[in-house]
Amino acid sequence: MGLDEDALAYHEHDPPGKIEISTTKPTSTQRDLSLAYSPGVAAPCEAIADAPGDAYRYTTKGNLVGVVSDGSAVLGLGDIGPLASKPVMEGKGVLFKRFADIDVFDLEVDASDPDAFVEHVAALEPTFGGINLEDISAPACFEIEERLRERLSIPVFHDDQHGTAIISGAALANAADIVGKDLADLSVTFAGAGAAALATARFYVSLGVPRENITMCDIDGILTTERAEAGDLDPYSEPFAQDRPAGDLADAMDGADVFVGLSVGGIVDEAMVRSMASDPILFAMANPEPEIDYEAAKHAREDTVVMATGRSDYPNQVNNVLGFPFLFRGALDAGATEINEAMKVAAAEALADLARQDVPDAVVKAYDDEPLQFGPEYIIPKPLDHRVLFEVAPAVARAAVESGAARRDLDRERYVERLEARLGKSREMMRVVLNKAQSDPKRVVLAEASDRMVRAAYQLADQGIAEPVLIGDTRGILRTADRLGLDFDPEIVDPTGVELAPYAEALYERRKRKGVTRREAADLVRDGNYLGSAMLALGDADAMLTGQTHHYPSALRAPLQVVGTAPDTEYAAGVTMLTFRNRVLFCADTSVNQDPDADVLAEVTRHTADLARRFNVEPRAALLSYSDFGSVDNEGTRKPRAAADRLRADPDVDFPVDGEMQADTAVVEEMLTGDYDFTDLDAPANVLVFPNLEAGNVASKLLQRLGGAEAVGPMLAGMAKPVHVLQRGDEVKDIVNLAGVAVVDAQE
């Protein structure tokens, strides 16, 4: 099937459309229903009647946006009317939810008269926390937005105007920096004088481009003062009329630093690009065909050409999804009464700054592993970069407060934590640990100097999570940092340039009765794993990470031999934290002990409970098997049963624990409190201890891949000093997360 047929099938598949309403509170009992509706619902109604602001406490108003259109200017389709625009408006709702966790009602209003449209939308103010106007033709869109902003005390935002302005504004700031030009000196030519072009030109003025440096062209040529005096321009375009001779787009582009296309495809040729000033900036944003093809623009000249389009198959896509979800997120969370110019500028500045930062591996993978590093081919973040939420929304909220548009202030650190929680429980859990780490950073040895390790070292230092120490060739590490554009001065321990004798002696003392001679110890400490382990053992570092380029067992060997397990501890354990939407599970052992006996299972349970508490989770442990409390009696079921008995009898164990039990018994409350009301667990278990390595590894990976869980780890518990072994496919964020866990281990 072609794209059209695929799209029709996509939208038709049951249920039709793309969005639905779902409940957020329990509705399974009669009491639930009495709270949700009659008679319980009277209480919040009365509270809101007495204090209207309480609508934000007791209803969805504070997270609900109305996407409103009359269908008069649907992108690429024109005036197709309100009903035909509904798929687009539903799609807008999908983007709000996907990128910023904002709920949407799409409203297609059959009102061609601006007065009627304004009245319809204004009457809906009690329903929504904000209004996103969409696909309304110019010049009516300007009047509608202005009048609604004046009448309503909630944010009103016409994305077709301001979205492109904000995203391209961020791109312009970075592009100008790359080519060494100041915004105040730029000569900018616009192709197009519609809603998006006019809003973008106004926004560029807010960013520092002089209005007199902007030349606009419509279908009739350059906007001149002569045309304005003749009544040829509307009140919205007239401010950009220039006192210059009439001419066409080619005349306007001659000598310009910047071309901004918001018109139609194919109207710019290579000769016009060659006529521009040195190192030109071209934003050809007509869709689906840009004003000039990416390849043609690049081919036109030999100097630097910074090019952006509206297409995803070329670098530097100007995509409105980088703006509106996060603008509304920050505005809603600050209780803003409007989205003003200061908030829009803050969004653009945050986007521009984010493009200069190291790009996460997950984003690179999402774009077919194409290189993403600040420069002419990467001047704005990618739409799938989750960090946009954490950077733009707080910047917008802060601007709302500082400009007087906010009803409430927000603590940035706590606000970012709330935003992270919207993207998944694992982010919320890791934020707890990373905040602890930042309160007292420790020296963490990174035993391998791969690209990802170097990038992780940069982030650890930049975010104040740890003091990273890289082991490897000094010149190679510095070249890597320079190639990746990482502006930091890493601490490096180079085995070829550091005195290794103390570390060799430490290794020898620990392994001399295990077959290691002094000469062999001297050779071994040239290996990053052994050198890092010896540094940790001697106190030259507080924690260690390894395993990025080794199989897990071989990476674990050196730390076990040199650092060893904690006092009164015989066995380390690998623990994987799995996070679901409303639940966290710590699974053990998923990487170390192949066939543990009852003593090992008991020890592993203690280690895992301790680890859970580092994430501020009070442990409830279940020893798992394929039977429940003696329903099957054999050697395999006796091990977890005996381990549970020993733990319950230990006065030092201060958390509930029980077993043996099946996995569903451990995690389903109705089974625990119903069939097995005698259990010591007062709620579903959050620490799951598997009977052997095979079961733990298989189950944790199935839960991750098929159950929708996000995984952190495996984290190594029970070592004498903090050591964590990475898996070879781990991304930079995984390294940073485990380093944070290691720092908290060291603190405690």
Side-chain angles (χ1 to χ4, degrees):
M1 291 193 296
L3 181 61
D4 287 350
E5 290 79 5
D6 287 343
L8 290 172
Y10 174 88
H11 285 78
E12 183 183 21
H13 188 275
D14 195 37
K18 299 187 287 285
I19 57 178
E20 68 177 4
I21 295 175
S22 62
T23 59
T24 60
K25 299 295 190 297
T27 56
S28 57
T29 68
Q30 178 59 40
R31 177 168 173 76
D32 292 338
L33 295 177
S34 69
L35 293 172
Y37 196 56
S38 179
V41 75
C45 289
E46 291 171 342
I48 294 168
D50 292 337
D54 280 355
Y56 289 91
R57 294 180 60 189
Y58 299 124
T59 76
T60 61
K61 180 179 174 70
N63 197 51
L64 186 62
V65 166
V67 173
V68 190
S69 179
D70 63 0
S72 60
V74 178
L75 180 64
L77 300 174
D79 186 356
I80 60 175
L83 182 59
S85 75
K86 187 171 178 63
V88 179
M89 302 311 122
E90 286 187 352
K92 195 83 173 194
V94 169
L95 298 179
F96 267 109
K97 190 65 177 179
R98 163 64 176 80
F99 289 100
D101 194 28
I102 293 173
D103 296 318
V104 161
F105 286 157
D106 63 290
L107 301 171
E108 295 73 35
V109 180
D110 189 4
S112 57
D113 176 65
D115 291 336
F117 189 93
V118 167
E119 292 304 319
H120 275 84
V121 178
L124 294 168
E125 181 178 10
T127 302
F128 297 110
I131 298 291
N132 182 98
L133 299 172
E134 192 75 16
D135 292 350
I136 303 170
S137 62
C141 62
F142 302 118
E143 178 188 351
I144 288 170
E145 185 188 42
E146 287 177 3
R147 291 172 58 184
L148 286 172
R149 289 188 62 185
E150 290 172 359
R151 288 185 57 173
L152 305 187
S153 60
I154 58 176
V156 177
F157 182 79
H158 184 211
D159 186 44
D160 300 314
Q161 292 185 57
H162 310 297
T164 300
I166 292 165
I167 314 311
S168 69
L172 180 67
N174 280 341
D177 184 57
I178 288 168
V179 299
K181 297 181 181 181
D182 293 329
L183 292 177
D185 298 328
L186 293 179
S187 170
V188 183
T189 293
F190 276 79
L198 289 168
T200 300
R202 289 196 296 266
F203 189 66
Y204 286 6
V205 173
S206 296
L207 294 178
V209 178
R211 185 181 296 270
E212 59 269 21
N213 288 11
I214 296 175
T215 300
M216 300 195 77
C217 298
D218 62 12
I219 194 170
D220 296 317
I222 297 173
L223 273 59
T224 64
T225 53
E226 182 179 352
R227 290 180 60 187
E229 291 167 358
D232 190 29
L233 305 180
D234 62 50
Y236 302 101
S237 58
E238 187 175 324
F240 289 97
Q242 296 290 352
D243 185 11
R244 59 174 291 171
D248 58 15
L249 180 59
D251 297 319
M253 289 182 64
D254 189 9
D257 296 294
V258 181
F259 166 76
V260 180
L262 289 162
S263 52
V264 295
I267 61 173
V268 175
D269 58 31
E270 292 188 29
M272 296 161 74
V273 176
R274 285 192 289 270
S275 75
M276 296 177 68
S278 62
D279 301 322
I281 299 167
L282 287 94
F283 296 165
M285 296 180 286
N287 253 329
E289 180 188 358
E291 285 81 359
I292 181 170
D293 288 339
Y294 182 86
E295 294 84 357
K298 288 285 191 177
H299 180 264
R301 329 178 38 128
E302 294 184 356
D303 56 357
T304 301
V305 176
V306 182
M307 177 79 171
T309 72
R311 294 176 57 126
S312 61
D313 51 351
Y314 293 128
N316 301 324
Q317 182 192 16
V318 178
N319 190 327
N320 284 19
V321 79
L322 282 168
F324 67 83
F326 315 108
L327 272 164
F328 271 99
R329 181 74 277 159
L332 291 173
D333 292 338
T337 57
E338 63 177 350
I339 293 176
N340 57 32
E341 201 70 10
M343 295 159 73
K344 291 185 285 184
V345 170
E349 291 175 344
L351 284 170
D353 181 68
L354 182 58
R356 297 166 180 264
Q357 300 178 24
D358 187 44
V359 181
D361 294 325
V363 179
V364 176
K365 285 181 179 179
Y367 290 92
D368 297 325
D369 293 320
E370 65 177 271
L372 297 176
Q373 186 174 328
F374 182 65
E377 307 300 301
Y378 181 70
I379 57 176
I380 42 177
K382 293 290 189 179
L384 293 179
D385 192 334
H386 64 271
R387 300 172 303 164
V388 178
L389 176 63
F390 311 140
E391 297 293 334
V392 175
V396 170
R398 174 51 48 196
V401 172
E402 292 175 352
S403 64
R407 293 186 179 96
R408 53 181 173 270
D409 200 354
L410 295 170
D411 177 86
R412 179 183 170 86
E413 185 174 300
R414 292 183 179 178
Y415 181 41
V416 171
E417 291 177 13
R418 286 169 48 198
L419 293 174
E420 289 185 329
R422 289 184 178 277
L423 292 188
K425 194 72 174 174
S426 67
R427 295 184 184 280
E428 180 183 3
M429 301 300 297
M430 280 311 309
R431 179 47 54 192
V432 170
V433 168
L434 295 178
N435 284 346
K436 288 182 181 179
Q438 288 169 328
S439 69
D440 184 19
K442 301 294 184 182
R443 286 170 58 82
V444 178
V445 169
L446 306 178
E448 301 150 310
S450 65
D451 281 15
R452 289 180 179 177
M453 281 289 206
V454 175
R455 290 168 57 203
Y458 170 77
Q459 291 190 22
L460 291 169
D462 185 60
Q463 298 174 31
I465 296 169
E467 300 170 9
V469 181
L470 285 159
I471 295 180
D473 174 64
T474 299
R475 287 180 297 180
I477 292 172
L478 293 177
R479 280 196 300 268
T480 297
D482 183 64
R483 172 170 51 83
L484 296 173
L486 305 177
D487 185 17
F488 80 127
D489 185 21
E491 181 177 351
I492 301 170
V493 174
D494 189 333
T496 64
V498 70
E499 176 56 52
L500 297 179
Y503 303 121
E505 185 64 22
L507 174 58
Y508 173 68
E509 287 298 322
R510 285 161 174 77
R511 302 301 295 172
K512 63 186 179 183
R513 293 186 179 275
K514 303 291 184 179
V516 175
T517 66
R518 272 199 166 86
R519 177 175 295 178
E520 289 171 331
D523 289 337
L524 283 173
V525 292
R526 298 184 184 279
D527 175 271
N529 273 347
Y530 280 97
L531 177 54
S533 299
M535 290 176 63
L536 185 59
L538 289 181
D540 291 345
D542 302 303
M544 172 182 167
L545 261 64
T546 185
Q548 245 275 302
T549 59
H550 294 77
H551 287 293
Y552 197 96
S554 60
L556 182 58
R557 185 177 301 115
L560 281 175
Q561 291 177 352
V562 181
V563 178
T565 56
D568 302 321
T569 299
E570 295 292 331
Y571 300 94
V575 182
T576 299
M577 182 177 75
L578 297 176
T579 61
F580 303 83
R581 183 172 178 83
N582 295 308
R583 176 176 291 190
V584 179
L585 298 176
F586 294 85
C587 299
D589 184 346
T590 59
S591 62
V592 179
N593 297 292
Q594 191 165 3
D595 189 20
D597 60 20
D599 289 334
V600 176
L601 287 175
E603 196 166 292
V604 166
T605 305
R606 292 190 188 93
H607 295 332
T608 309
D610 289 342
L611 182 63
R613 282 177 166 151
R614 290 184 198 129
F615 287 85
N616 288 357
V617 173
E618 277 304 308
R620 299 183 298 275
L623 281 294
L624 302 182
S625 184
Y626 64 93
S627 67
D628 282 316
F629 307 107
S631 60
V632 175
D633 187 32
N634 58 36
E635 184 179 355
T637 62
R638 289 180 202 129
K639 289 195 301 181
R641 193 184 315 151
D645 289 341
R646 292 172 195 180
L647 289 164
R648 288 199 301 273
D650 187 342
D652 292 330
V653 173
D654 59 351
F655 56 88
V657 58
D658 214 332
E660 90 284 14
M661 67 180 75
Q662 296 186 47
D664 54 349
T665 302
V667 298
V668 177
E669 185 167 12
E670 290 79 6
M671 297 180 70
L672 277 173
T673 58
D675 297 339
Y676 306 107
D677 57 358
F678 56 82
T679 179
D680 286 357
L681 297 180
D682 56 0
N686 51 30
V687 169
L688 303 181
V689 181
F690 290 87
N692 54 49
L693 174 59
E694 185 175 20
N697 191 277
V698 169
S700 64
K701 283 181 163 51
L702 279 175
L703 285 168
Q704 182 182 353
R705 299 300 181 184
L706 299 182
E710 294 185 55
V712 176
M715 296 169 277
L716 199 57
M719 297 292 289
K721 292 191 175 183
V723 176
H724 291 293
V725 178
L726 302 158
Q727 299 185 92
R728 292 201 294 176
D730 279 351
E731 300 175 359
V732 173
K733 71 176 180 64
D734 302 312
I735 302 171
V736 171
N737 285 344
L738 279 181
V741 174
V743 169
V744 174
D745 290 345
Q747 291 171 348
E748 296 181 355

